[in-house]
Amino acid sequence: MAEVLVYVDHVDGAVRKPTLELLTLARRIGEPVAVHLGPGADAAATVLGEHGATRVLAADAPEFADYLVVPKVDALQAAAAAVSPVAVLVPSSAEGKEIAARLALRLGSGIITDATDLEAGDEGPVATQSAFAAAFTTRSRVSHGVPVITVKPNSAPVEAAPATGTVEQLQVTFGELATGTKIVSRTPRESTGRPELTEAAIVVSGGRGVNGAENFSIIEALADSLGAAVGASRAAVDAGWYPHTNQVGQTGKSVSPQLYIANGISGAIQHRAGMQTSKTIVAVNKDAEAPIFDLVDYGVVGDLFQVVPQLTEEIKTRKG
Ligand SMILES: Cc1cc2nc3c(=O)[nH]c(=O)nc-3n(C[C@H](O)[C@H](O)[C@H](O)COP(=O)(O)OP(=O)(O)OC[C@H]3O[C@@H](n4cnc5c(N)ncnc54)[C@H](O)[C@@H]3O)c2cc1C
């Protein structure tokens, strides 16, 4: 059976959820072969094998940690040469998309970014994307070279599919450019205890209607009752009510959770661009004419200061 390379996003061998989702999609088009770079391959291989990876190509070298993406591109290129895959799948993070773009250039291949679904096709995998601020859904396939495809988090379920997950060493020769950009310092982000915005299964967002930084505690309380990440519209962020890193939209982060709850957000096209591929969308807005109601699955016309705390209490009660 044809093999599909899956780039593993991990922290010291702890595999992140978007990679497990990629394994689900990879199994639709072939046999997943994971590429694990950096420390922790043995620990990761157990999890990767449980989710369908037949082989884990592993390489560890200081270059992966000390320099930006080029060493990883060198390694993926070596893996592609060793395996001759039918596709290379990479999680759609900022780093993942840079790695994928550079790899596609090196392989002389077409690339599809930010896919939200993937299926087998007669002439290669067919990817679904959301285009032009999510106004269109497109289906496309790469017509030249080995398809390199980045996939948005939450595009597929994580499914157990036991496979061998045999670890094999990948030989990597770093090119001249690999050490071109050195990482000189690292500052860990302050942990909020909440999931990463772009990977979260549930996102609770607040907009101008939240009316002040101090009121974002209402949004955070709802998020915490659901184990969700907190997002914000640009209006809320520009007003200084919430950090820029939490902005959802065209000039912020793109999220695609199972559930997106927009509170006091009007639904401007630039905001929709970052959340319209969410599976279920709920909005709370006191204006029944707000454009956000055009795309919701469930809408509540009401004052968020009344609705959101009640919702939080109800969720807490039901969770016991
Ligand atoms: C180039 C460009 C890029 C942009 N990028 C982004 C981006 O990445 N992300 C983004 O979000 N925006 C972006 N914007 C801005 C975007 O156009 C909107 O201005 C912004 O999204 C509006 O944010 P908002 O919905 O919070 O505010 P508003 O549009 O002011 O809407 C506030 C909503 O809150 C409701 N409301 C008020 N009080 C309450 C209450 N008590 N209870 C319930 N509802 C209430 C109102 O009815 C209203 O619908 C961009 C704009 C440009 C030009």
Side-chain angles (χ1 to χ4, degrees), residues 207-209 233-235 247-252 264-268 270-271 284-287 290 302-305:
R208 205 194 306 270
S233 73
R234 180 157 155 184
Q247 183 184 318
V248 172
Q250 187 181 315
T251 44
I265 293 177
S266 61
Q270 295 90 353
H271 188 80
V284 180
N285 195 305
K286 67 180 182 185
D287 175 8
D303 184 340
L304 71 89
F305 294 101

Side-chain angles (χ1 to χ4, degrees), residues 66-85:
D66 294 346
Y67 298 89
L68 292 184
V69 297
V70 182
K72 294 171 181 163
V73 181
D74 288 344
L76 259 187
Q77 188 179 10
V83 169
S84 300

Side-chain angles (χ1 to χ4, degrees), residues 161-296:
T164 41
T166 314
V167 178
E168 297 172 23
Q169 287 311 308
L170 175 68
Q171 296 304 323
V172 184
T173 309
F174 295 114
E176 255 178 47
L177 297 175
T179 53
T181 319
K182 190 168 172 52
I183 295 169
V184 292
S185 74
R186 280 192 168 84
T187 310
R189 189 183 47 199
E190 239 174 71
S191 172
T192 59
R194 299 190 183 99
E196 165 66 30
L197 181 58
T198 53
E199 294 172 13
I202 305 176
V203 174
V204 178
S205 284
R208 205 194 306 270
V210 175
N211 200 25
E214 64 285 1
N215 298 335
F216 255 87
S217 57
I218 297 174
I219 305 299
E220 291 181 333
L222 176 56
D224 292 343
S225 73
L226 292 163
V230 175
S233 73
R234 180 157 155 184
V237 159
D238 283 352
W241 302 343
Y242 222 67
H244 276 280
T245 45
N246 294 66
Q247 183 184 318
V248 172
Q250 187 181 315
T251 44
K253 288 186 175 153
S254 185
V255 301
S256 197
Q258 298 295 325
L259 174 62
Y260 186 88
I261 307 179
N263 302 286
I265 293 177
S266 61
I269 187 146
Q270 295 90 353
H271 188 80
R272 293 160 71 138
M275 47 65 75
Q276 195 159 340
T277 55
S278 305
K279 306 288 177 299
T280 301
I281 299 172
V282 177
V284 180
N285 195 305
K286 67 180 182 185
D287 175 8
E289 303 296 319
I292 190 92
F293 287 126
D294 293 343
L295 69 142
V296 298

Side-chain angles (χ1 to χ4, degrees), residues 85-171:
V86 289
V88 182
L89 306 186
V90 182
S92 261
S93 59
E95 184 185 78
K97 283 192 270 192
E98 188 177 349
I99 290 171
R102 286 171 180 265
L103 179 71
L105 191 67
R106 295 225 195 142
L107 299 178
S109 294
I111 180 171
I112 293 173
T113 55
D114 286 339
T116 55
D117 202 2
L118 200 59
E119 62 200 74
D122 293 341
E123 296 171 78
V126 177
T128 304
Q129 283 167 295
S130 176
F132 294 119
F136 292 88
T137 299
T138 63
R139 293 176 71 248
S140 48
R141 66 174 172 78
V142 167
S143 56
H144 192 81
V146 179
V148 178
I149 302 170
T150 78
V151 182
K152 277 189 173 188
N154 295 310
S155 294
V158 172
E159 289 170 359
T164 41
T166 314
V167 178
E168 297 172 23
Q169 287 311 308
L170 175 68
Q171 296 304 323

Side-chain angles (χ1 to χ4, degrees), residues 10-35:
H10 69 97
V11 180
D12 296 335
V15 180
R16 301 178 74 150
K17 187 168 152 269
T19 300
L20 303 181
E21 296 164 4
L22 286 191
L23 289 171
T24 300
L25 294 173
R27 291 201 313 276
R28 294 183 189 166
I29 52 179
E31 254 179 26
V33 175
V35 180

